[in-house]
Protein backbone atom coordinates (compact mmCIF):
# COMPACT_ATOMS: atom_id res chain seq x y z
CA UNK A 1 0.00 0.00 0.00
CA UNK A 2 2.82 2.31 0.69
CA UNK A 3 3.94 1.89 -2.89
CA UNK A 4 0.49 2.98 -4.04
CA UNK A 5 0.67 6.01 -1.79
CA UNK A 6 4.14 6.94 -3.08
CA UNK A 7 2.96 6.44 -6.63
CA UNK A 8 -0.11 8.62 -6.00
CA UNK A 9 2.02 11.38 -4.45
CA UNK A 10 4.37 11.16 -7.41
CA UNK A 11 1.41 11.36 -9.82
CA UNK A 12 -0.07 14.31 -7.89
CA UNK A 13 3.24 16.20 -8.11
CA UNK A 14 3.50 15.37 -11.78
CA UNK A 15 -0.09 16.56 -12.27
CA UNK A 16 0.77 19.86 -10.53
CA UNK A 17 3.82 20.28 -12.77
CA UNK A 18 1.70 19.64 -15.85
CA UNK A 19 -0.94 22.14 -14.69
CA UNK A 20 1.78 24.71 -14.00
CA UNK A 21 3.31 24.17 -17.45
CA UNK A 22 -0.18 24.42 -18.98
CA UNK A 23 -0.79 27.69 -17.18
CA UNK A 24 2.55 29.11 -18.38
CA UNK A 25 1.83 27.98 -21.96
CA UNK A 26 -1.67 29.51 -21.86
CA UNK A 27 -0.23 32.83 -20.66
CA UNK A 28 2.43 32.75 -23.39
CA UNK A 29 -0.24 31.98 -25.99
CA UNK A 30 -2.47 34.82 -24.76
CA UNK A 31 0.49 37.21 -24.81
CA UNK A 32 1.46 36.04 -28.31
CA UNK A 33 -2.11 36.41 -29.61
CA UNK A 34 -2.43 39.83 -27.95
CA UNK A 35 0.85 40.98 -29.50
CA UNK A 36 -0.23 39.58 -32.86
CA UNK A 37 -3.56 41.41 -32.65
CA UNK A 38 -1.82 44.64 -31.62
CA UNK A 39 0.66 44.27 -34.48
CA UNK A 40 -2.16 43.65 -36.96
CA UNK A 41 -4.04 46.71 -35.68
CA UNK A 42 -0.90 48.83 -35.98
CA UNK A 43 -0.22 47.53 -39.50
CA UNK A 44 -3.83 48.27 -40.51
CA UNK A 45 -3.56 51.81 -39.13
CA UNK A 46 -0.20 52.33 -40.86
CA UNK A 47 -1.63 51.04 -44.16
CA UNK A 48 -4.65 53.36 -43.84
CA UNK A 49 -2.40 56.32 -43.07
CA UNK A 50 -0.18 55.46 -46.04
CA UNK A 51 -3.24 55.14 -48.30
CA UNK A 52 -4.50 58.56 -47.18
CA UNK A 53 -1.05 60.10 -47.58
CA UNK A 54 -0.67 58.61 -51.06
CA UNK A 55 -4.14 59.83 -52.06
CA UNK A 56 -3.28 63.34 -50.83
CA UNK A 57 0.03 63.28 -52.71
CA UNK A 58 -1.72 62.08 -55.86
CA UNK A 59 -4.28 64.89 -55.55
CA UNK A 60 -1.47 67.43 -55.08
CA UNK A 61 0.39 66.09 -58.12
CA UNK A 62 -2.77 66.17 -60.24
CA UNK A 63 -3.53 69.73 -59.10
CA UNK A 64 0.03 70.83 -59.91
CA UNK A 65 -0.16 69.13 -63.31
CA UNK A 66 -3.47 70.86 -64.04
CA UNK A 67 -2.00 74.25 -63.06
CA UNK A 68 1.03 73.67 -65.27
CA UNK A 69 -1.17 72.68 -68.20
CA UNK A 70 -3.33 75.77 -67.69
CA UNK A 71 -0.20 77.91 -67.51
CA UNK A 72 1.19 76.41 -70.69
CA UNK A 73 -2.08 77.23 -72.44
CA UNK A 74 -2.04 80.79 -71.12
CA UNK A 75 1.61 81.59 -71.81
CA UNK A 76 2.54 81.91 -75.47
CA UNK A 77 5.74 80.46 -76.82
CA UNK A 78 8.82 82.66 -76.22
CA UNK A 79 9.34 83.10 -79.97
CA UNK A 80 5.77 84.38 -80.24
CA UNK A 81 6.37 86.82 -77.39
CA UNK A 82 9.57 87.99 -79.07
CA UNK A 83 7.83 88.54 -82.40
CA UNK A 84 4.97 90.34 -80.71
CA UNK A 85 7.43 92.62 -78.89
CA UNK A 86 9.25 93.38 -82.12
CA UNK A 87 5.96 94.05 -83.89
CA UNK A 88 4.74 96.54 -81.30
CA UNK A 89 8.16 98.21 -81.18
CA UNK A 90 8.05 98.67 -84.96
CA UNK A 91 4.48 100.02 -84.73
CA UNK A 92 5.58 102.46 -82.03
CA UNK A 93 8.55 103.54 -84.12
CA UNK A 94 6.58 103.84 -87.38
CA UNK A 95 3.48 105.52 -85.97
CA UNK A 96 4.79 109.09 -86.13
CA UNK A 97 5.73 108.57 -89.79
CA UNK A 98 2.26 107.19 -90.61
CA UNK A 99 0.29 109.61 -88.46
CA UNK A 100 0.12 112.36 -91.10
CA UNK A 101 -0.98 109.84 -93.73
CA UNK A 102 -3.66 108.44 -91.43
CA UNK A 103 -4.95 111.95 -90.76
CA UNK A 104 -5.11 112.53 -94.53
CA UNK A 105 -2.46 115.25 -94.59
CA UNK A 106 0.36 113.43 -96.43
CA UNK A 107 1.19 110.52 -98.74
CA UNK A 108 1.97 107.06 -97.43
CA UNK A 109 5.59 106.68 -96.30
CA UNK A 110 6.37 103.43 -98.16
CA UNK A 111 10.07 103.72 -97.47
CA UNK A 112 9.39 103.10 -93.80
CA UNK A 113 8.43 99.47 -94.48
CA UNK A 114 11.48 98.73 -96.59
CA UNK A 115 13.78 100.40 -94.05
CA UNK A 116 12.31 98.24 -91.28
CA UNK A 117 12.70 95.07 -93.34
CA UNK A 118 16.34 95.94 -94.09
CA UNK A 119 17.02 96.49 -90.40
CA UNK A 120 15.38 93.22 -89.43
CA UNK A 121 17.27 91.29 -92.10
CA UNK A 122 20.56 92.90 -91.08
CA UNK A 123 19.90 92.19 -87.39
CA UNK A 124 20.34 95.85 -86.48
CA UNK A 125 16.86 96.39 -85.17
CA UNK A 126 16.83 97.47 -81.55
CA UNK A 127 13.80 97.72 -79.40
CA UNK A 128 13.11 101.36 -78.67
CA UNK A 129 11.50 102.42 -75.52
Amino acid sequence: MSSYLAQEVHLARRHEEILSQRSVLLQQMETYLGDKKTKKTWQTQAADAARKRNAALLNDIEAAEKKLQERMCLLPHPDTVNLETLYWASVKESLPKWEQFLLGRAEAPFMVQSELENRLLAGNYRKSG
Side-chain angles (χ1 to χ4, degrees):
M1 186 140 165
S2 122
S3 80
Y4 288 118
L5 183 60
Q7 192 176 8
E8 188 150 335
V9 169
H10 174 68
L11 288 176
R13 284 183 190 155
R14 181 73 180 130
H15 184 280
E16 289 297 323
E17 287 175 12
I18 291 172
L19 288 178
S20 175
Q21 287 177 350
R22 180 179 182 266
S23 177
V24 169
L25 289 172
L26 283 174
Q27 285 178 342
Q28 288 176 350
M29 189 172 74
E30 286 175 3
T31 303
Y32 172 76
L33 291 175
D35 290 347
K36 189 176 177 181
K37 186 176 181 181
T38 302
K39 185 178 178 180
K40 186 175 181 180
T41 302
W42 179 84
Q43 286 176 337
T44 303
Q45 290 173 346
D48 288 342
R51 223 176 275 111
K52 288 178 184 177
R53 184 179 60 248
N54 290 346
L57 288 171
L58 184 61
N59 287 340
D60 291 346
I61 289 170
E62 288 172 351
E65 182 181 18
K66 184 178 179 183
K67 284 182 181 180
L68 285 174
Q69 286 176 348
E70 289 173 355
R71 239 175 111 186
M72 285 187 65
C73 291
L74 293 177
L75 294 177
H77 192 274
D79 291 342
T80 306
V81 173
N82 188 37
L83 287 173
E84 186 177 345
T85 303
L86 290 173
Y87 169 77
W88 285 113
S90 71
V91 167
K92 186 176 179 181
E93 184 179 301
S94 301
L95 188 61
K97 296 175 185 174
W98 283 89
E99 191 172 21
Q100 294 301 315
F101 169 73
L102 294 172
L103 293 173
R105 298 180 188 158
E107 292 184 23
F110 291 109
M111 290 299 285
V112 172
Q113 183 65 29
S114 63
E115 288 174 13
L116 182 60
E117 287 174 358
N118 290 338
R119 284 190 203 170
L120 286 173
L121 290 174
N124 294 331
Y125 185 79
R126 290 192 182 154
K127 184 177 168 184
S128 61

